[in-house]
Amino acid sequence: MNFRIAVAAWCCAASLAVAALPAAAQAHSLESADVTRFWTAFDAIRASADPAEKRRALLREYIEPGTPGLQAFMQAKGYTPECYLDAIERYPKFWASVRAGTLALADKTADAPQRIAALRKLYPPLRPATVYFAIGCLNSSGTTLGDKVLIGAELAGGGPDTDVSEMPEPRQRNLRNYFATRPADGLPLLLVHEHVHTQQKGPGPTLLAQAIYEGAADFVAERATGKLPPLDYVRYGRQNEARLKRDFRADMHETSYAKWLYNAPDPR
């Protein structure tokens, strides 16, 4: 079971852990050019039989001309040219099924400025952040680095028809459940959650600190949007609250998150 902050209901109200930053009311900013560049690179890679040329195409068409957001995404998640080439070669059905959804993501953010305005009302010192859509290596729908909100379009743009049949179990099961929630429809909620992370002091050294870091983002995103993500951990946490609190108390000062956070199966 992927607990993924199942204790959020307990921890999230504890603290926003927000750095004291000066107020700045700037417009919502979004960059999606990396997604289009990825598909140009993808077509060139699939058209070549030469491994060296495939790598050159990826660098030339996608990575080297990428936005600061793509560079930050690769840094934050440890992405390399090899992980992209491996995923492209292994999962052609997946990429074919998700292509249109990734290109349509920018159109799903029409109400994002309204949601960010609601977030600023809750927290007036809100610092602006730029949202970048990029393609990753299938293990992050959203993360942050500094003042950048980084959305993994290959996951955020999927849906019930996304083909994950080429992937190993239990990754197939995990992604089927995730894509069944139509993540693109919940994109404004994800953007607010990640925007909150850009205001925080950073991840914590213990499970407790990290649960507060993630739970606070969920809590504030719910306040700003009126919604919670339709994911298993929300339902599971409510159904098992007493047991989770007991087990969490035993682990909360540990420095490992393995039993509680970020434990989706590896896509490889």
Side-chain angles (χ1 to χ4, degrees), residues 113-196:
Q114 175 186 347
R115 302 305 181 189
I116 299 301
L119 175 57
R120 182 173 289 111
K121 186 175 181 180
L122 289 172
Y123 182 65
L126 186 73
R127 182 176 64 183
T130 300
V131 176
Y132 293 91
F133 290 114
I135 302 292
C137 293
L138 288 82
N139 68 356
S140 178
S141 60
T143 190
T144 63
L145 189 66
D147 63 352
K148 298 174 181 64
V149 173
L150 311 168
I151 302 300
E154 80 282 12
L155 296 185
D161 295 331
T162 300
D163 190 336
V164 296
S165 63
E166 298 155 314
M167 298 180 187
E169 287 284 359
R171 183 62 172 173
Q172 282 191 34
R173 182 172 64 254
N174 182 274
L175 281 179
R176 282 197 190 99
N177 291 340
Y178 175 69
F179 288 136
T181 68
R182 300 180 184 275
D185 293 343
L187 188 58
L189 175 64
L190 176 62
L191 294 184
V192 174
H193 174 106
E194 298 299 342
H195 202 122
V196 171

Side-chain angles (χ1 to χ4, degrees), residues 22-146:
Q26 297 185 18
H28 175 77
S29 178
L30 186 148
E31 298 281 350
S32 60
D34 287 319
V35 175
T36 302
R37 275 193 287 265
F38 173 83
W39 290 112
T40 300
F42 178 90
D43 290 340
I45 291 165
R46 296 293 295 171
S48 176
D50 179 4
E53 174 55 30
K54 289 174 184 285
R55 194 177 195 279
R56 286 193 293 269
L58 178 67
L59 295 174
R60 180 181 66 245
E61 304 294 344
Y62 184 52
I63 294 177
E64 291 176 352
T67 66
L70 175 59
Q71 307 309 318
F73 199 27
M74 293 183 67
Q75 178 185 340
K77 304 307 296 185
Y79 293 151
T80 64
E82 288 68 32
C83 85
Y84 282 106
L85 293 169
D86 182 67
I88 289 169
E89 293 299 319
R90 283 177 182 263
Y91 309 128
K93 293 179 181 178
F94 167 79
W95 293 112
S97 69
V98 81
R99 185 169 186 157
T102 67
L103 293 167
L105 270 183
D107 296 332
K108 300 285 187 177
T109 62
D111 68 343
Q114 175 186 347
R115 302 305 181 189
I116 299 301
L119 175 57
R120 182 173 289 111
K121 186 175 181 180
L122 289 172
Y123 182 65
L126 186 73
R127 182 176 64 183
T130 300
V131 176
Y132 293 91
F133 290 114
I135 302 292
C137 293
L138 288 82
N139 68 356
S140 178
S141 60
T143 190
T144 63
L145 189 66

Side-chain angles (χ1 to χ4, degrees), residues 17-19 21 123 125-129 195-201:
V18 177
L21 298 168
Y123 182 65
L126 186 73
R127 182 176 64 183
H195 202 122
V196 171
H197 281 326
T198 69
Q199 311 301 300
Q200 293 172 300
K201 293 179 181 178

